[in-house]
């Protein structure tokens, strides 16, 4: 269950991830992503129902909406890097396949 405390921590983590993406600090981005994954697991593992005030619910809704916006902004920064990495990996796989094919053809 997503609690106000976990939601606030996730929101802060997203803000830190955006700053890291803006600064092209992929190590920090990865570290924050790891922290975010841990927070998600805490929310999933939280089974005790809690009573939430209307104010808490509205705050969490606002934070979640903002997290979605931040996620889209992060993708604007890292999207080109991800595409470049995919191309490099694809080229590497093709290169290995060609080398293996030539090795297999040698007598």
């Amino acid at each position: 269950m997503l609690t106000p405390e976990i939601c606030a921590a996730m929101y802060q983590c997203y803000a830190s991830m955006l700053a890291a993406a803006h600064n092209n600090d992929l190590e920090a981005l990865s570290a924050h992503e790891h922290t975010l994954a841990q927070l998600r697991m805490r929310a999933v593992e939280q089974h005790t129902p809690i009573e939430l005030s209307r104010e808490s619910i509205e705050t969490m809704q606002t934070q979640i909406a903002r997290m979605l916006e931040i996620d889209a902004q992060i993708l604007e920064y890292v999207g080109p890097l991800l595409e470049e990495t995919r191309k490099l990996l694809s080229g590497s796989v093709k290169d290995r396949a060609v080398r293996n094919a030539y090795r297999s053809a040698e007598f």
Side-chain angles (χ1 to χ4, degrees), residues 5-7 15 24-25 35-36 41 51 62-63 79 85 88-89 97:
E5 295 79 20
I6 294 174
C7 190
N24 204 22
D25 186 349
T35 301
L36 188 60
M41 287 305 299
E51 190 89 19
T62 301
Q63 289 172 333
T85 302
L88 288 172
L89 290 173

Side-chain angles (χ1 to χ4, degrees), residues 11 14-23 29 65-80:
Y11 177 72
Y14 267 100
S16 297
M17 288 172 63
L18 181 59
H22 178 73
N23 294 324
L29 184 62
R66 183 66 184 126
M67 283 187 261
L68 293 172
E69 292 170 3
I70 290 171
D71 190 60
Q73 290 174 320
I74 291 169
L75 285 176
E76 288 178 19
Y77 287 109
V78 299

Side-chain angles (χ1 to χ4, degrees), residues 20-94:
H22 178 73
N23 294 324
N24 204 22
D25 186 349
L26 299 181
E27 286 184 38
L29 184 62
S30 178
H32 293 305
E33 174 59 30
H34 181 72
T35 301
L36 188 60
Q38 290 175 330
L39 290 167
R40 282 189 206 116
M41 287 305 299
R42 278 182 45 204
V44 168
E45 293 168 353
Q46 178 81 319
H47 296 292
T48 307
I50 59 172
E51 190 89 19
L52 296 174
S53 68
R54 170 53 82 190
E55 183 181 332
S56 291
I57 292 170
E58 289 173 357
T59 299
M60 290 172 61
Q61 288 173 332
T62 301
Q63 289 172 333
I64 291 168
R66 183 66 184 126
M67 283 187 261
L68 293 172
E69 292 170 3
I70 290 171
D71 190 60
Q73 290 174 320
I74 291 169
L75 285 176
E76 288 178 19
Y77 287 109
V78 299
L81 294 172
L82 291 173
E83 186 58 34
E84 186 177 320
T85 302
R86 281 189 197 103
K87 286 179 183 177
L88 288 172
L89 290 173
S90 175
S92 176
V93 168
K94 288 177 187 176

